[in-house]
Structure formats: C-alpha cells, structure tokens
Amino acid sequence: MLASCIMTRGNDPFIDEQNDPVLLDQWHVVASIAELRRGPVRTILLGRRLTVAIRQDQPVAHHADGAAAATMLHLEYVWVCLGQKPARLFDIPELAEPERRVVHAGSFGVRTSPPRAIENFLDLGHFPYVHKDFLGLEPHTEVPPYRVSTEQDGQELFARDCRFFQPRSAANASEGFIVEYVYRVPHPLCAVLYKLNPLDRDRQDVIALFCQPVGPEQVRAHMLVSLLDDTSDDAELIGFQQLIFAQDKPILENQVPLRLPLSPGAEVPVRADAMSVAYRRYLAALGLRHGVIAA
Amino acid sequence: MIRLHHYELSAECYKVRLLLSMLGLAHETVQVDMYPGAAHLSDSYRRLSPLGRLPVVEDGDLVLDDANAILVHLAASHDPGGTWFARAPGQIAQWLGYGAALAASLGAARLMDCFDTGMDSAPLIARALPILDALDRHLWLEAAEGHFYLCGTGPTIADIACFADTVLAEEAGVALRRYPAVRRWHDRVRMIPGFIVMPGVFPR
Amino acid sequence: MTRAGWYPLAGAGDLAEGHIVDAVLDGRALAVWRGADRIARAWENRCPHRGVRLSIGSVVGDELVCRYHGWRFAGADGRCTRVPAHPNSAPPSGLRIQARPVREAAGIVWCDSGEGSEFVEPEPGIVARPLMFAMGLVALRGAMLGALGGSSAIGEAWLRASLPHEAGGWTVTLLLRPAGPHECWVHGLVHAGAPARPVAIARAQTDWLAGVRRLFENSL
Ligand code: FES
Ligand SMILES: [Fe+2]
C-alpha cells in the first residue's frame, strides 16, 4: 500500500484519462440524427452520462445534474464538446455531391479503446483473414507500399495509393478486383475511407467511423456510409457495412492490452503497418492520454 | 422454395442459416434491417410475425417465426436421413429448451451490448452462467464416453440450438475459457459439413 | 504469486489435436495447443504483432495461425514463419513467442510456472472434469481442508479427499491451479478401486465438487 503511494507521487502528475484535455477540447459524436428522430438517447461520453435529444430542430445534451453541454449538428450526427470548443471540426465535402446516398449504418458498443478501433479501420493486412470472401481472400494477401502523410499542420493524417485485391468489396459487387483506397484521419478518434466505386471508378464511396470515447476501454462506434450504389436497397447497404464491422469486433475485443501502446517497441510492425505506426505517432504528438499506453 | 427473413447479426437467425447450409437446402433470403431500422416492427413485417420476431421462414403455406420451431420443421420435413431430430426427439427437445433459455439471457445481453442500448445486462448474464455450466458438464461427460455432440455421436438440431449463443458469449462479456468443454465442442461443430460462420464466429 | 511448480492446465484427452485451450496460470494468459505432431504446448496468449489472443487463432499442421493478419508461428520454437502481408520477405527476425515448459503425465497436461521445477508424479486415477472456483488458491485450499472431512494436504496445491459414501466414497487427489487472485481451478484424479464405469465415477466426482463450490459461493 505505502510503496504504491510513494511511487505514484514520484511519477508524473496523475492525469485521469477521462479528463484528457486533448479529448475534452474536442467535438465527439454521441448519436445519429436518425436515432434521435425515434426519441432521446442516453449515452456516456468520457465517463459522463448524457441525455441527447433534438428539440425544434436543435440538438440538446444534458448531464445527469441537468447542466447543458455544448452541441452541434454536423454530418448526420449530434456532436458534443465537454471542454473548450476547438477552432475547427473537420468536414467531409464529398457527402454534398449530388446523387449520393448517405446512410447511418448503426452505433455499436465495442469493448476496446477508441484508438484500437480506429487503428483497425486503417488496416489493410487483415482483409483476407477477418473479412475473408468479402474484402480479401488468400492467396491475395500482399499489402503493396502506400504513401503516408500528415497534412493541415499535423492535424490530419492520410494514407494514399492503397491497393488491395477484394473478392466482393461492396454490397453490389459481384466479382473480385483490385480496389483503391484513401484513408483519412481528420480527428484523433474519427477516420474516413474513400474507396473507388466499383460501378464508376471516378467517383468514390465514402465510409466513416466516428468513435465515441465512452471510456478508455469502451467505445460507441458510429458508422456512416455514403455510396453511389443505386442497385442495393438501404437494408442491403447497412447489412453489408454491419457485417464487415461485426467481423472486426471480436478481434478488437481480443487485443491485449485493450489500450493502444504508443511506445515503438511494444508491438512489432511490418511495412504494411506504416499507417498504424503513423497513427500512433500522430496520437503521441497530440499528447493523447485516453485509451493509450503512453510511450 | 423456402424463404428466410433474417438479420445478419442475429444469433437466432444464424441457427436457421446454419441448418439450411448443413442440410444443403436451397432457399432465398430477405434481409430485415432490424437495427438501426427496426424493420421487424413495421406493419408489413408484422403480417409475417405479429410479434415482430426474427427469423421467419416461409415454406409453402407454412409461416414460422420461432428459431426452434423452424429447426424442428426443417429437420422433420427436409432431412431425408432423419438424423437431425427423429433419432432422439425427447432429448433434443430438452436442449432446444436450453437453447431458448440461452437466447433469452446470453443472446439478449449480447444484443444490448452490441447495439449499445445502455441497459444493464448483468441480470441476464447471471441467468446464463448456470446454463453454460450445465452445458459444460454434459458435454464433458458425453465426450468422456466418446459422444462428441449434445445428443450422441452425430450432430442434431440440439447442437445448433445451443451453439449460436454460446459461441458468441464473449460479445456478451462472458469469458468462454471458464467452459473448456463448451469451447472444445464449438470446434467440433465447426467441423460439421456445411458449417458457415456469422460475424463474431470464427471458422475452423 | 504462488510458489513455482507444475500445475495442471487441461486433461490430456480434452486437448485434442488442432484444439487451443485458453487457460490462465498464476496471472499468465496461455494458449495451450496441440499440433499435428501431437505435442502439447503452452504459449504466451498474445500475438507479438498487434496483441491478439492466440487462443482465438487456429492450428495448421504444427503451426499456430493468428486470427488477425494470419501470421504463423512454428510449434517447434515459436518463431514467426510467415507474414502474409509480405509473402516475399523474411518475417521479422528474432520474433519468437514465449513458450512455458509443458509435460503430459497421469492423463493431464502440466505446466511449470517457474523454470526447472521438480515434477512430482501424482497417484494415477480417472481424470476429473476441471472446475473453476472464484477464490484464490490459498483461500480455496484452506476452505477445502476445513469443509471436507478427512481431507489432508499434499504440498501446497494438492489435497487428498473422499467423496461421500452415497456418491461412491472414492478417494480423490484434487490438483489446484492458481489462475488469479480470485480464481483457482480444481483438476482431479479419482482413485476408484472397485471396477465401475469411469464416466460414472467422473460424474459423481464433478457433481460432488460442484456441490462443494455452491457451498463456498453461498458462504461468501
Ligand atoms: S495481431 Fe497477430 S497477426 Fe496481426
Ligand atoms: Fe476490418
């Protein structure tokens, strides 16, 4: 007992992960507009209970003691900021293009840290294993080199020229081919995937994952899909996206530790993990504490 | 033609998909957007199942909205070998009951957590643990006699009825390492010809 | 931390070829598996790539395959033999999964929680079904010695006890495996002199032990 008290005092000042200033001073998705149309939503953000609703077209969020939290409507979701509102919140301008369908594919609870969930979303190498017959298939397992860059003064992270053979890359795809991806991390806990559309290779499908940090080892993952597909109905589109995500879920819940280690030696990356390495560096540079094991 | 109305992430629906595949029965499927769309509560779906239950199987004029009932119907009407149900109906019906109890406890807890409903699943888990323990005991003792399935030496619909929710138990927060005989039986079910996965279930 | 020594992980018959048991020994998570060479192994239950539990993976031949990215590890030495994302490059060198010492004796797979501990062979018997108790080893051992009339300790992790007369009256050696501060597994060997169906003996043993567990759970 005594020894552990002394050790704590000797270390850096203890920072409660749920009060991580990087995440407090940030907008987070808490519910989709689609879900709120059916009624108020009770949820948890960074350990704080919130009730979220839409009243007269305006989003409102309240803490358990009745105090209001800052809200905004953006990209089909209600976002909440618990601390100081950041200067900018990223946009996905492609969603405004004509003929696009934008569908909320559900909010899922996952027992993992928010950064582990995002890192998985940025990963190509698992396709032939976790998404066998859909996003990958042996022996097409190779991950060719891709380009990683930080942009917007280090606030956004990109991976470009990602190519991978996929047997059935979307709900309406009937044959396999090499798909091209761009990954974008515009927010420490949000990621966007641009995928060449199998019907029209000049236009991109957009799939976004917004991770709501419930706690350091509990995520509420919101999935947004925007496709040019006009052959599948909404149930099929949603079903396909959920299927893919639900295949990742048991992997995420079986990672040890659940928090993402930021120290370079903690896990063993290979070239295919360039984006994972970059994401961990990006989080370290932001000084994130929540859901990670600091280097 | 058999028509299955189902939702991909539902373990109840997985039971029926598994048996259809293991029996090699041709069928058509209709996806029901249960979450987030709540399409199972729509007026059109309630014409099939007044309670909005999943899955539904239409086979000719017959419409069934209960996983156990569908398993029994398929095994009784579409299994020429008669090995999946007729061999030991009493014993099998008992495990179908266990399967339903698992669906109502472990399965319900899993969906609460998965769809992030914010509800407390602990009371449901407390009901599921003794059932898992009884299953582990039975499977361990049967295996000691060389019976590698719930009811003897070959697979029956009893295995399917209890497999779906237990193999997904960790999604409800229950560590399966507590039930080693159940884990080992999962491996055996994975080896049944025609075995298919659903998200959250790993292949062999 | 319990004293270093050999503890049971699983019944040898319950560890079928190609199966992976998910077990914990003294806080250490283990993937216990048997490949085509029939050798039982106990590995650290964590893939060095991204930390996924190896116990959710699969066995192919004498190799363990991780579920996430399909990295393969050789049973013989724990070395990574294949990184599918780079099929034409050598896997990272020096990458090796920690293996614990394992041996099979008396129908049980045993693991040394330390290094080079002396192995004491128990009296042979019918292998019983392992049961988990929600207590630490020391507390469980004490509770059992107190509650089971005529029981006696054999060292720090074994007990000798007798089933009640109406349950057959057989003598059992209970073999405790510490898992965590509040988790201990009870393996066992039943010494049945009279000829009886082994499974009937094992059933009587597990139902008796489950009764002991209920007793302890209710008194907590
Ligand atoms: S985590 Fe095991 S192969 Fe990637
Ligand atoms: Fe994935």
Side-chain angles (χ1 to χ4, degrees):
Chain A
M1 265 322 245
L2 195 62
S4 70
C5 294
I6 293 165
M7 274 176 58
T8 310
R9 212 178 299 150
N11 282 353
D12 288 334
F14 175 72
I15 296 181
D16 180 356
E17 283 176 85
Q18 302 283 43
N19 290 319
D20 181 349
V22 175
L23 293 190
L24 284 180
D25 299 341
Q26 192 50 274
W27 290 102
H28 301 282
V29 167
V30 289
S32 70
I33 295 173
E35 186 180 3
L36 289 167
R37 268 194 217 110
R38 285 192 288 272
V41 169
R42 296 170 59 169
T43 187
I44 299 175
L45 176 63
L46 294 166
R48 294 142 171 96
R49 291 186 180 281
L50 293 174
T51 305
V52 189
I54 295 197
R55 295 217 184 96
Q56 280 122 33
D57 289 338
Q58 289 305 307
V60 288
H62 289 101
H63 290 272
D65 64 4
T71 58
M72 71 182 282
L73 278 176
H74 187 51
L75 302 172
E76 310 286 319
Y77 290 88
V78 171
W79 301 66
V80 165
C81 178
L82 296 171
Q84 223 157 34
K85 288 188 225 164
R88 80 186 256 287
L89 176 58
F90 72 92
D91 194 12
I92 308 177
E94 294 81 0
L95 297 188
E97 289 172 1
E99 293 159 53
R100 246 182 206 290
R101 298 161 66 188
V102 180
V103 183
H104 167 60
S107 305
F108 286 84
V110 191
R111 285 184 192 83
T112 188
S113 61
R116 283 273 198 201
I118 294 292
E119 182 183 68
N120 166 266
F121 187 82
L122 306 173
D123 185 82
L124 289 159
H126 71 289
F127 288 173
Y129 300 96
V130 179
H131 309 300
K132 180 174 174 282
D133 297 331
F134 294 95
L135 305 186
L137 188 63
E138 285 185 300
H140 310 281
T141 59
E142 180 158 15
V143 178
Y146 52 86
R147 282 189 299 128
V148 174
S149 56
T150 39
E151 298 174 18
Q152 308 277 344
D153 282 341
Q155 291 199 61
E156 297 208 4
L157 184 63
F158 283 85
R160 298 179 201 273
D161 303 335
C162 305
R163 279 160 294 134
F164 207 80
F165 174 85
Q166 297 197 332
R168 186 181 170 218
S169 65
N172 62 344
S174 53
E175 58 182 65
F177 48 83
I178 306 231
V179 272
E180 289 181 43
Y181 277 10
V182 171
Y183 288 108
R184 173 184 173 211
V185 182
H187 174 294
L189 304 182
C190 296
V192 188
L193 156 61
Y194 303 87
K195 188 184 205 174
L196 284 191
N197 188 286
L199 299 179
D200 176 356
R201 295 175 71 82
D202 294 332
R203 304 270 303 263
Q204 294 162 330
D205 286 346
V206 180
I207 300 167
L209 176 70
F210 304 140
C211 283
Q212 171 185 340
V214 173
E217 296 186 350
Q218 183 68 40
V219 174
R220 185 165 137 90
H222 308 269
M223 271 189 298
L224 181 73
V225 187
S226 169
L227 305 187
L228 297 156
D229 178 356
D230 47 16
T231 57
S232 314
D233 63 25
D234 276 9
E236 284 171 319
L237 280 190
I238 291 172
F240 185 81
Q241 235 11 262
Q242 291 189 352
L243 170 102
I244 298 299
F245 185 76
Q247 288 174 331
D248 285 315
K249 186 175 185 289
I251 298 286
L252 289 167
E253 295 181 340
N254 273 291
Q255 277 178 293
V256 185
L258 292 174
R259 286 171 167 84
L260 184 72
L262 297 185
S263 144
E267 293 178 349
V268 181
V270 291
R271 259 174 300 135
D273 299 314
M275 189 55 168
S276 147
V277 171
Y279 176 60
R280 294 180 188 204
R281 279 208 200 109
Y282 159 88
L283 295 183
L286 292 176
L288 188 83
R289 295 290 190 118
H290 183 273
V292 300
I293 299 169
Chain B
M1 179 74 113
I2 299 168
R3 183 183 292 149
L4 168 68
H5 301 258
H6 76 129
Y7 174 60
E8 196 70 55
L9 305 188
S10 150
E12 290 298 279
C13 299
Y14 178 48
K15 294 175 184 175
V16 175
R17 294 193 300 260
L18 261 178
L19 186 62
L20 286 167
S21 173
M22 288 173 175
L23 290 176
L25 295 177
H27 61 279
E28 48 186 55
T29 57
V30 182
Q31 285 197 40
V32 182
D33 176 17
M34 174 180 153
Y35 177 82
H40 61 305
L41 302 179
S42 67
D43 291 346
S44 61
Y45 189 82
R46 281 186 201 265
R47 282 196 284 275
L48 286 168
S49 169
L51 295 176
R53 301 181 68 189
L54 279 163
V56 159
V57 155
E58 296 178 82
D59 189 3
D61 289 339
L62 184 67
V63 181
L64 295 171
D65 72 349
D66 177 87
N68 276 351
I70 295 167
L71 294 181
V72 170
H73 166 69
L74 293 177
S77 314
H78 297 282
D79 169 29
T83 60
W84 286 85
F85 179 60
R87 212 156 34 76
Q91 244 185 312
I92 290 170
Q94 175 189 297
W95 292 109
L96 294 184
Y98 277 64
L102 284 165
S105 53
L106 200 52
R110 169 179 165 263
L111 291 182
M112 272 183 186
D113 290 2
C114 191
F115 300 149
D116 201 52
T117 58
M119 286 186 262
D120 179 16
S121 60
L124 293 173
I125 297 296
R127 272 163 50 198
L129 298 184
I131 309 175
L132 280 162
D133 194 54
L135 204 57
D136 191 79
R137 171 189 177 276
H138 177 78
L139 287 164
W140 192 91
L141 290 168
E142 288 295 301
E145 289 210 285
H147 299 162
F148 291 134
Y149 297 95
L150 272 172
C151 299
T153 52
T156 66
I157 55 173
D159 294 290
I160 292 178
C162 292
F163 178 78
D165 288 300
T166 58
V167 79
L168 292 162
E170 305 215 331
E171 296 204 346
V174 175
L176 275 174
R177 66 182 181 80
R178 295 171 65 169
Y179 309 100
V182 172
R183 279 186 89 252
R184 190 185 164 194
W185 164 73
H186 287 159
D187 265 14
R188 294 201 197 96
V189 174
R190 288 182 174 105
M191 276 153 60
I192 300 173
F195 176 79
I196 51 170
V197 295
M198 71 167 268
V201 180
F202 298 120
R204 177 87 180 112
Chain C
M1 195 71 172
T2 324
R3 215 173 92 178
W6 290 88
Y7 295 94
L9 294 178
D14 294 336
L15 185 60
E17 181 184 323
H19 185 56
I20 313 172
V21 169
D22 178 355
V24 180
L25 171 58
D26 223 4
R28 207 183 259 138
L30 299 171
V32 188
W33 63 286
R34 197 193 292 281
D37 58 8
R38 310 286 309 150
I39 297 174
R41 301 190 164 87
W43 282 8
E44 183 189 358
N45 193 6
R46 185 175 175 275
C47 178
H49 179 218
R50 294 257 185 97
V52 166
R53 287 195 178 88
L54 292 171
S55 54
I56 66 164
S58 62
V59 177
V60 175
D62 296 339
E63 296 190 316
L64 201 56
V65 186
C66 177
R67 197 56 77 179
Y68 197 178
H69 305 93
W71 289 24
R72 289 187 181 220
F73 301 93
D77 55 8
R79 273 183 217 281
C80 180
T81 60
R82 197 170 122 83
V83 171
H86 303 298
N88 303 316
S89 321
S93 60
L95 197 62
R96 195 177 182 140
I97 299 190
Q98 275 279 324
R100 301 299 314 158
V102 166
R103 71 162 72 203
E104 289 187 64
I108 285 172
V109 179
W110 304 80
C111 182
D112 187 356
S113 70
E115 294 294 335
S117 308
E118 188 200 349
F119 181 74
V120 181
E121 181 116 17
E123 185 189 331
I126 294 163
V127 178
R129 171 182 168 230
L131 267 193
M132 193 196 99
F133 283 66
M135 304 166 81
L137 179 136
V138 174
L140 178 61
R141 179 178 176 273
M144 282 185 155
L145 286 171
L148 307 178
S151 61
S152 58
I154 312 173
E156 287 174 55
W158 295 1
L159 278 88
R160 179 62 62 95
S162 297
L163 269 64
H165 186 73
E166 61 279 12
W170 295 294
T171 309
V172 294
T173 307
L174 299 176
L175 311 158
L176 277 51
R177 171 189 12 125
H182 304 289
E183 180 179 331
C184 185
W185 283 73
V186 181
H187 297 251
L189 294 164
V190 191
H191 313 294
R197 268 170 75 222
V199 69
I201 295 169
R203 176 179 294 117
Q205 195 275 353
T206 197
D207 290 344
W208 163 72
L209 195 58
V212 173
R213 184 169 67 178
R214 275 193 299 276
L215 183 77
F216 292 173
E217 273 165 8
N218 294 340
S219 67
L220 277 181

